[in-house]
Amino acid sequence: MKSTIPDTGVPIAPPATNGGDRQEASLHGEILLRLRDYVVEGNIPEGGRVPERQLCEMLGISRTPLREALKVLAAEGLIELLPNRGARVRQLSQRDLEELFDVMAGLESLAGRLACEAITEAEITAIEQLHYEMYGHYLHRDMHGYFQANQRIHESIVAAARNEALKTAYANFAGRIRRVRYSANFARKRQRWAEAMREHEAILDALRRRAASELSDILFQHLRNKRAAAIEHLTEPQEDAAASS
């Protein structure tokens, strides 16, 4: 799996800015982005301890900024902080996945319906551009780039709904299943990646036509299909998972 974490231990270079606060915020954001990608893309096993020393070496940072970033990931639900014992990747049961994906399906379904009422032509154009960017990553089998564009599409639809309560609820749940949404594309018994691309074609088509009820149904089923793939991947026998890597 492709990761944005550097392999060579080259420190992250702070960008040249005029303000120390802005420079620090930018550096913190870059650390957080790379660390989130590292966890989401499965570089640490489910339930595994976060290797703080190794990550500090890979990112070229001290423990303090790393732990600040870990606090954010804990708030997002990706990891658990252990009192005086570091952190570990949060492990979700099948029941956890079923419940979380059903909530997300409901939220995205509502977002699609509301977005059709409020979205602008400029926002649709931006989502179209993200869609074709995502398709390019799909053709090149670039899972990292594909997933980043995919998440931005879903977030853009939620933003277009113009509902702050919905946006907050979505953000609260999105982090908790981000890792399994990524891994679901590797479910072996179905071509989930190709299936997801076809679903996104339908999402874009309904959005262009502002077909609120249709888009709502498509998004709900899209998350249901993702849920099935995530559970399938979670329950794959170890020997099958090893053979696919």
Side-chain angles (χ1 to χ4, degrees):
M1 298 179 187
K2 184 178 179 181
S3 171
T4 55
I5 293 281
D7 296 324
T8 59
V10 177
I12 295 174
T17 63
N18 294 326
D21 290 343
R22 283 184 297 164
Q23 186 181 68
E24 184 177 341
S26 178
L27 179 60
H28 172 75
E30 186 175 353
I31 293 167
L32 178 60
L33 177 63
R34 293 188 175 187
L35 186 58
R36 184 189 289 118
D37 286 347
Y38 192 77
V39 174
V40 166
E41 295 176 10
N43 292 286
I44 306 172
E46 294 282 337
R49 294 287 292 272
V50 176
E52 292 189 22
R53 180 179 299 177
Q54 176 187 340
L55 289 172
C56 285
E57 292 174 356
M58 294 172 75
L59 289 166
I61 59 175
S62 67
R63 287 283 179 92
T64 298
L66 177 70
R67 287 175 175 171
E68 288 301 311
L70 289 175
K71 288 178 184 178
V72 177
L73 296 189
E76 292 178 354
L78 271 174
I79 66 168
E80 296 176 293
L81 298 178
L82 308 173
N84 302 315
R85 292 184 293 124
R88 68 183 175 196
V89 174
R90 183 180 292 274
Q91 190 165 18
L92 299 174
S93 67
Q94 180 172 335
R95 183 59 181 166
D96 290 332
L97 292 183
E98 290 171 349
E99 292 179 351
L100 287 168
F101 269 101
D102 276 351
V103 171
M104 288 295 287
L107 292 173
E108 293 209 20
S109 175
L110 175 59
R113 186 178 293 275
L114 295 177
C116 285
E117 298 173 359
I119 197 166
T120 66
E121 287 297 329
E123 287 172 317
I124 291 177
T125 298
I127 291 173
E128 286 177 334
Q129 291 173 343
L130 285 171
H131 175 83
Y132 294 122
E133 177 185 327
M134 181 179 69
Y135 185 58
H137 292 307
Y138 168 74
L139 292 176
H140 288 91
R141 316 308 288 173
D142 174 9
M143 178 57 76
H144 174 82
Y146 168 89
F147 187 72
Q148 296 298 317
N150 181 293
Q151 293 301 286
R152 287 166 63 196
I153 289 170
H154 285 276
E155 290 165 0
S156 296
I157 293 173
V158 172
R162 307 287 194 275
N163 186 304
E164 288 302 316
L166 172 61
K167 187 176 179 180
T168 299
Y170 180 83
N172 287 341
F173 283 98
R176 298 171 66 181
I177 61 170
R178 186 177 283 114
R179 178 182 167 99
V180 290
R181 284 185 84 151
Y182 183 92
S183 64
N185 293 290
F186 299 104
R188 296 186 66 212
K189 294 180 182 178
R190 66 171 75 198
Q191 294 295 318
R192 178 56 202 162
W193 200 354
E195 184 181 64
M197 272 305 310
R198 290 192 293 271
E199 290 166 7
H200 267 271
E201 290 283 355
I203 289 169
L204 182 58
D205 177 63
L207 188 62
R208 283 177 179 138
R209 293 183 286 108
R210 292 177 171 80
S213 181
E214 183 180 341
L215 179 58
S216 177
D217 289 345
I218 292 170
L219 283 166
F220 188 88
Q221 191 59 49
H222 179 62
L223 268 290
R224 271 297 178 89
N225 292 342
K226 180 73 77 172
R227 183 186 80 160
I231 292 171
E232 177 186 307
H233 186 70
L234 176 71
T235 56
E236 273 183 346
Q238 281 301 116
E239 58 270 19
D240 287 351
S244 65
S245 61

